[in-house]
Amino acid sequence: MSTEEKKDATEAPRSPASAPVPEPGLAELHGAPSPESLQWTLHELRVQRMALDRQNEELRRAQAEIEASREQYRQLYDLAPAGYLTLSRQGLIRKANLTCASLLGVPRDLLIDQPFARFILNDDQVIYYLYRKRLLAAGESPACELRMVKQGGDTFWARVDATSARDDADAAVFRVMISDISDRKQSEVRLQLAACVFSHAREGIMITAADGTIVEVNRAFTRITGYSREEAMARNSRFLASERQDKAFYAARRRALNEDGYWSGEVWNRRKNGELYVEMQTVSTVPDVQGKIRQVVTLFSDITTIKQAEEALAASEEQRRLFIEYAPAGLAMFDRDMRYLYASNRWFADHGLEKRDLQGLSHYDVFPELPEEWKEAHRRGLAGEELRSEGDRFERLDGSVKWVRWEIHPWYDAQRSVGGIVIFTEDITANKQAEAALRASEERLSLVLRGTRDAFWDWDLGRGEVYYSPRWWDMLGYVDDELVFDTKLWQRLTHPDDVQRVRQVFGAALADGADSCKVEFRLRHRDGHYLHTICRAMILRDENGKAIRVAGANTDITVRRQTEDALREQEAFFRLIAENLEGFLAVLDVDGRRIYNNPSYARLVGDRKLPGTSSFADIHADDRERVMQSFRDTVATGVGQHLEYRFVTSDGRVRVMESRGGAIKDSEGRTKRVVVLSHDVTERREAEERIRHLAFHDTLTQLPNRLTLLDRLRQTLAASKRTGCQGALMFVDLDEFKAMNDTYGHEAGDLLLIEVAHRLKACVREMDTVARFAGDEFVVMLSALDSGSAQSTSQARIVAEKIRLSLSQPYRLSIRDEGTATRAIEHRCTVSVGVALFTGHEGDADDILQRADAAMYDAKEAGRNLIRFHDRLA
């Protein structure tokens, strides 16, 4: 009831409609009530009833609100995301909400009076015991994390929070909240794993901000670059860059990251020690919520060794070709069908052959009378067997007889299958009578080699056992095991002045984790004198890095030490040689400044004074950095370099120089001087280039020859396999060319062939190939045609028709008659064209040539001046 309603109820008797009734007198109390009195009493009862009704309504409304609040509390309690339960001081469950029952996998009514410890994993019972002990002692305790077990046996990580309280009966209890933190624990494990991978990855990892500032690196970063984490942090990653790649390269990389969020490629950087190296980088961006680059993650690995191997492979391939061609022995390489791949110049000479292109020809066609036993040897070699003969009789094509020593070795392709054989031959006709003397010489050489072997020893540190080889005893003048030997024998035989130094070297190597060591010291010979020896040892360690075995060898360098003294005495003698050397000899300091140059340098630099000047100033600007880097490598490693470069002489001429360098070291092994011997190879390189051009081009038309055509055809077949594009090979043969020669002579025929070559080149694309095959036969190869047969046929037909029409136009040639007079002639001729389409999956180069050749002969037989396509199904 509101305040106003109470006021109205109280003041109702005093309303104007009712007359005031005086209190009854004594007489009235003892007598019957008056009507006015009854009316007043009735009014009061009504007012009180109304007040009571209003109070009852207020009570019912409050009761409903209490019930609603109690229901909300029950729902919040039962459906809360965390498990709630009440434990007695003995650890028994008194109450539990539905969430708790769900977490433990037990219906709520079955949880009552169950020990809470029953749901704790055995391995974590101690954690719960200590937590409960603190709770009993203090009434509260920080939350703990432990593993709990569901009814079915599944485990989960839980956070337990508890506090002391009293229940309705005023008994001491604990209110407990259980939260499932399994997902958080799994996240923590993943974070720990990611941190471990980041820290221990073999690849370098660098994380930078969007502006390139380094925010984190891993251990591999330090191993690869040489910079510690502290040195790299907060620096811009550009400090690692070298000058090998220009700004355009980095701009393109940045553009790819902005557009794609990813970039991968090779980057040349510089280590802390100044050394250039190449990385394979994979760079990814990490965007923020607006899609802008927040961080950049770079994974990289050092591929310097791989790059060097690739360069070495390319050089090795060229060296192989040169080696085979200029090998001092007869050498030929064949495929599985005994077709020539390579042949050395000596092969031609030894077998009485004229120098010509043998590639692709069968060995049995070149030598049709080859003995059957030699063919059988070839078949055995192709089966993987290695064969040799110390001397066989060989009848050459000119009828002369030679004695040859030969070897057959199979060579293997990338799939480790036999790809063919290599035959080595040596003309031993003049040496046949000297075989006995040669065998005796070889025996003597074998004895000398056995006599110069190092003295091996082996020390098992775990067992305390040592082994000395027979050579070790022999080197010191003892028979095997003549002395009582143990791990201290070497000390007893070592010169007293050397013992401490040897102990220090070995002790440091064993303690520092080294895998090898080297030391020079003196050992006492049986007759009392001392030998100068150098000991090289390898240290074997267990998985914990502890040294368990040391093995090595002692080399007697007494003679070498004596030789070194003799060499120093002969310095004046060698200087005399240098002064009269035809080549260019220079001695440089470690900075490349000239210390000495022999007189030959006057031919290059004139009368200029050279001592103290830079040896790099006269090198061509485009070669200077490469030469300087090679020089730095020689100084750093002590290993001489072999390279070619261009030298600018005092009169401005450019000469090609071939140089070999060597390092002169001090007693501690550091490079002190660099000696460079150079030769002017300008004329030789020019001659080699002319020879190389003649080997691959026709001398008359300057078109590629058959060898070059076959190589390009194989390349086109390989490309066709990858792309699916078709190609076309055209045999172009001049009709009635012989009549031209017979009428006007070979000079006119040569001029005609040259003009035909020009017209053919004008009919095709730059990427296509025009070659002179033989005589008046030309071959045109079209590559990268359409992948569809109909489209590629149409493309080839258009080009073939263009060729036919172009070569059918009149030829105006100027020929020289007898004497000095020249006259102009006009000649017309037609051509027959045979076309064979091909893809990389159809046949080989010889098969395609045969098909095109057959189509050309079809055109000739059909009347000439025609184009014919070879049917692939024919």
Side-chain angles (χ1 to χ4, degrees), residues 149-206:
V149 183
K150 294 186 177 183
Q151 181 70 20
D154 295 336
T155 62
F156 66 95
W157 275 96
R159 173 188 170 96
V160 178
D161 291 90
T163 184
S164 61
R166 291 195 171 272
D167 61 8
D168 296 339
D170 201 31
V173 294
F174 297 109
R175 307 296 187 190
V176 181
M177 182 179 73
I178 304 174
S179 303
D180 187 347
I181 60 171
S182 299
D183 291 341
R184 195 197 77 193
K185 283 293 186 178
Q186 292 174 359
S187 298
E188 291 174 353
V189 170
R190 288 194 293 270
L191 287 175
Q192 292 172 355
L193 178 60
C196 182
V197 170
F198 177 84
S199 178
H200 296 89
R202 290 188 58 81
E203 293 79 10
I205 303 176
M206 176 177 65

Side-chain angles (χ1 to χ4, degrees), residues 559-858:
V559 176
R560 192 188 77 183
R561 294 290 291 268
Q562 295 170 349
T563 302
E564 290 173 353
D565 295 338
L567 287 175
R568 283 191 291 271
E569 295 173 1
Q570 294 178 1
E571 181 180 355
F573 172 73
F574 287 109
R575 176 176 289 274
L576 178 63
I577 294 176
E579 297 293 336
N580 294 276
L581 192 65
E582 180 66 22
F584 304 91
L585 182 68
V587 180
L588 313 175
D589 65 15
V590 293
D591 295 320
R593 291 186 296 267
R594 296 179 173 109
I595 297 175
Y596 169 79
N597 294 81
N598 71 342
S600 298
Y601 266 89
R603 303 202 304 269
L604 299 176
V605 299
D607 297 333
R608 195 173 72 206
K609 300 297 184 181
L610 295 181
T613 63
S614 172
S615 61
F616 309 119
D618 299 309
I619 296 173
H620 194 283
D622 293 342
D623 298 341
R624 188 174 298 138
E625 178 57 32
R626 176 171 57 86
V627 175
M628 292 174 67
Q629 183 59 46
S630 176
F631 180 83
R632 289 192 290 266
D633 292 343
T634 298
V635 172
T637 64
V639 179
Q641 306 286 321
H642 177 208
L643 71 161
E644 287 189 8
Y645 55 89
R646 289 166 290 178
F647 190 98
V648 182
T649 65
S650 57
D651 58 4
R653 292 177 298 120
V654 177
R655 309 297 294 175
V656 179
M657 306 297 289
E658 179 183 62
S659 294
R660 292 182 182 272
I664 299 176
K665 302 178 182 179
D666 58 19
S667 59
E668 297 180 357
R670 294 175 299 194
T671 301
K672 185 177 181 181
R673 299 284 187 269
V674 177
V675 179
V676 181
L677 179 61
S678 305
H679 294 88
D680 188 341
V681 296
T682 307
E683 286 76 13
R684 189 176 79 191
R685 289 293 176 260
E686 292 173 350
E688 290 174 352
E689 184 59 33
R690 290 193 295 271
I691 292 172
R692 186 178 294 106
H693 181 79
L694 291 174
F696 296 101
H697 292 80
D698 176 51
T699 56
L700 177 64
T701 63
Q702 299 304 306
L703 292 177
N705 59 15
R706 181 197 297 256
L707 179 64
T708 305
L709 172 67
L710 289 172
D711 179 64
R712 293 185 183 178
L713 178 54
R714 293 187 183 98
Q715 294 178 19
T716 302
L717 283 169
S720 177
K721 284 185 179 180
R722 295 192 304 271
T723 64
C725 294
Q726 298 203 26
L729 194 74
M730 302 180 183
F731 250 94
V732 180
D733 186 82
L734 302 181
D735 298 330
E736 303 297 345
F737 177 72
K738 184 176 183 300
M740 170 72 173
N741 277 337
D742 293 343
T743 303
Y744 299 109
H746 289 287
E747 179 186 358
D750 290 346
L751 293 174
L752 178 64
L753 292 175
I754 294 172
E755 179 61 24
V756 167
H758 290 319
R759 295 188 185 185
L760 285 173
K761 291 172 66 176
C763 291
V764 298
R765 302 166 297 180
E766 185 71 23
M767 63 187 293
D768 300 324
T769 299
V770 177
R772 184 183 179 196
F773 205 66
D776 59 343
E777 289 183 344
F778 295 84
V779 175
V780 177
M781 183 180 69
L782 307 179
S783 59
L785 299 179
D786 199 280
S787 58
S789 297
Q791 295 88 336
S792 59
T793 301
S794 175
Q795 293 169 340
R797 189 180 301 279
I798 291 172
V799 176
E801 182 62 21
K802 183 178 180 180
I803 290 173
R804 188 187 69 80
L805 293 175
S806 175
L807 299 188
S808 299
Q809 298 300 312
Y811 296 86
R812 294 175 177 83
L813 309 173
S814 296
I815 62 174
R816 185 184 302 275
D817 290 330
E818 295 184 4
T820 59
T822 60
R823 63 189 176 96
I825 64 171
E826 181 175 302
H827 177 74
R828 292 178 179 272
C829 71
T830 60
V831 293
S832 298
V833 182
V835 185
L837 296 174
F838 63 86
T839 66
H841 301 282
E842 297 179 3
D844 55 15
D846 292 336
D847 177 62
I848 296 169
L849 286 168
Q850 291 173 5
R851 289 197 282 122
D853 189 41
M856 183 271 291
Y857 277 106
D858 288 346

Side-chain angles (χ1 to χ4, degrees), residues 457-478:
W457 52 268
D458 182 20
W459 182 9
D460 189 327
L461 299 177
R463 298 180 179 179
E465 298 176 355
V466 65
Y467 164 78
Y468 296 102
S469 67
R471 171 59 187 151
W472 193 90
W473 295 104
D474 182 67
M475 180 181 70
L476 297 178
Y478 296 96

Side-chain angles (χ1 to χ4, degrees), residues 7 58 69 387 424 483 499 550 743 872:
K7 182 178 180 181
E58 289 291 333
S69 297
L387 304 98
F424 299 88
L483 299 177
V499 171
V550 184
T743 303
R872 300 189 191 190

Side-chain angles (χ1 to χ4, degrees), residues 231-441:
E231 293 172 322
M233 294 294 287
R235 298 181 68 177
N236 193 286
S237 60
R238 288 192 298 270
F239 84 96
L240 296 170
S242 68
E243 299 79 18
R244 288 288 295 268
Q245 288 151 320
D246 56 17
K247 293 181 179 179
F249 168 82
Y250 291 101
R253 186 176 73 160
R254 185 67 180 179
R255 187 164 53 254
L257 290 175
N258 290 332
E259 295 175 357
D260 305 326
Y262 174 84
W263 181 87
S264 180
E266 296 178 1
V267 178
W268 283 90
N269 278 339
R270 189 180 299 278
R271 304 188 206 272
K272 182 179 179 180
N273 62 6
E275 176 188 355
L276 283 176
Y277 71 102
V278 61
E279 297 176 349
M280 173 55 71
Q281 286 191 0
T282 299
V283 187
S284 302
T285 61
V286 180
D288 58 17
V289 293
Q290 286 82 29
K292 297 181 179 179
I293 296 177
R294 180 167 62 89
Q295 287 184 332
V296 178
V297 180
T298 302
L299 278 74
F300 62 94
S301 55
D302 186 349
I303 61 169
T304 307
T305 303
I306 298 175
K307 293 293 289 185
Q308 291 172 346
E310 291 174 350
E311 294 172 357
L313 180 61
S316 175
E317 182 65 24
E318 176 63 14
Q319 290 170 358
R320 181 180 70 174
R321 187 189 66 77
L322 293 174
F323 170 76
I324 292 176
E325 186 171 351
Y326 296 103
L331 187 154
M333 191 173 184
F334 301 90
D335 63 14
R336 289 195 60 84
D337 297 321
M338 288 303 296
R339 291 190 296 262
Y340 279 90
L341 299 176
Y342 301 102
S344 68
N345 294 334
R346 188 61 179 270
W347 177 273
F348 287 93
D350 288 350
H351 290 76
L353 297 173
E354 295 182 0
K355 189 71 168 64
R356 59 192 176 103
D357 182 16
L358 294 178
Q359 188 172 23
L361 297 181
S362 170
H363 185 50
Y364 305 138
D365 291 339
V366 176
F367 295 101
E369 302 299 327
L370 203 65
E372 181 59 33
E373 58 267 25
W374 284 22
K375 293 182 179 181
E376 175 60 23
H378 298 162
R379 287 190 287 269
R380 291 169 61 187
L382 291 170
E385 189 175 350
E386 294 186 355
L387 304 98
R388 64 180 298 161
S389 170
E390 292 303 321
D392 274 344
R393 185 177 181 275
F394 174 66
E395 185 173 346
R396 304 201 303 184
L397 294 177
D398 60 4
S400 60
V401 175
K402 294 287 185 179
W403 283 90
V404 295
R405 177 188 294 114
W406 56 263
E407 293 184 13
I408 295 177
H409 296 273
W411 61 269
Y412 296 87
D413 58 21
Q415 289 72 39
R416 299 304 300 162
S417 299
V418 176
I421 61 173
V422 179
I423 302 179
F424 299 88
T425 64
E426 180 184 0
D427 184 352
I428 59 170
T429 305
N431 300 332
K432 195 66 176 176
Q433 297 79 15
E435 287 181 352
L438 178 61
R439 283 192 296 272
S441 175

